[in-house]
Amino acid sequence: MQERVVDVDEWMKTVRELLELGKEVPVLVTGNSMFPFLVHKRDTVLVKQAGCPLRKGEIVFYQRPSGQYVMHRIIRIDDGKLYLAGDAQTVLEGPLPDHCVFGEIIAVERKGKWIRQGDFWWDFFAGPWLVLRPLRGYILAVRRKAAQIVQVIRGRKRRYTKNTEREQINGHIEKGGS
């Protein structure tokens, strides 16, 4: 599939028009603020027009007063004002008026499979992960370190396998094999 670069404002205008017509629109995830639930250029979200009332834990598409478009999770709602953050973030954005929100994420396509409300990972990030917000930085740092360790172990295993194969080949040649 060929990647095309489009003007964000024009594209978002089209997305918003489709949502207003009641359509569900697939959007490729770009950016890392929703990691680990959503992964940059791997996952696609299905967006529908935002419903009422908005609820804590929902992932929404909104436009900041600066004009920037963002997809984050609702962490808290106080007196109709929204406080949002990405799943990789600990600092809240807000208060924002609820009219900034124009889309609600209803599903995620990951590696050909759809994840929806009611699936384990969807519910984990909409529930317990919200409570863990103050600890997210530490949790994600441990995850990164564990991934680095796994990479080192896999690299050693590959080197060991290659060396073992070489030793077998060399041993075979030394014994007069061809």
Side-chain angles (χ1 to χ4, degrees):
M1 182 202 278
Q2 185 178 356
E3 194 171 310
R4 292 189 308 168
V5 178
V6 295
D7 178 68
V8 172
D9 291 324
E10 278 299 310
W11 181 72
M12 288 309 299
K13 180 181 173 190
T14 303
V15 168
R16 291 180 82 158
E17 287 171 359
L18 290 169
L19 294 175
E20 289 170 11
L21 291 171
K23 305 287 185 191
E24 296 176 349
V25 182
V27 176
L28 180 67
V29 172
T30 57
N32 294 309
S33 67
M34 287 299 291
F35 182 84
F37 184 54
L38 300 177
V39 176
H40 173 71
K41 291 194 176 184
R42 179 193 73 185
D43 298 335
T44 298
V45 295
L46 191 59
V47 185
K48 74 170 192 167
Q49 187 170 24
C52 290
L54 296 170
R55 295 177 309 278
K56 176 181 173 179
E58 283 184 307
I59 304 171
V60 294
F61 221 162
Y62 63 100
Q63 187 173 17
R64 289 179 170 150
S66 67
Q68 182 181 20
Y69 293 97
V70 183
M71 185 186 319
H72 279 167
R73 193 177 299 277
I74 298 173
I75 305 298
R76 188 172 86 223
I77 304 173
D78 287 333
D79 296 323
K81 302 290 185 193
L82 304 175
Y83 294 83
L84 304 107
D87 286 346
Q89 300 173 328
T90 57
V91 177
L92 292 181
E93 176 179 2
L96 291 172
D98 61 2
H99 66 77
C100 289
V101 174
F102 60 87
E104 175 183 338
I105 293 12
I106 58 170
V108 177
E109 183 185 23
R110 173 174 300 142
K111 300 178 182 176
K113 295 183 181 178
W114 286 97
I115 301 169
R116 299 177 183 276
Q117 187 174 4
D119 291 335
F120 175 79
W121 288 115
W122 185 284
D123 293 346
F124 173 78
F125 284 100
W129 191 248
L130 296 181
V131 177
L132 295 171
R133 187 175 50 83
L135 303 174
R136 288 178 186 175
Y138 301 110
I139 293 168
L140 293 173
V142 167
R143 184 189 180 284
R144 277 190 301 275
K145 193 62 169 171
Q148 290 171 348
I149 291 168
V150 167
Q151 288 292 335
V152 168
I153 291 169
R154 285 182 178 162
R156 284 185 183 159
K157 197 180 273 188
R158 278 190 217 108
R159 281 194 301 269
Y160 175 76
T161 302
K162 287 179 183 174
N163 288 340
T164 304
E165 289 170 0
R166 258 190 235 118
E167 289 167 3
Q168 290 173 347
I169 291 168
N170 290 338
H172 182 70
I173 292 171
E174 289 172 7
K175 292 179 185 172
S178 49

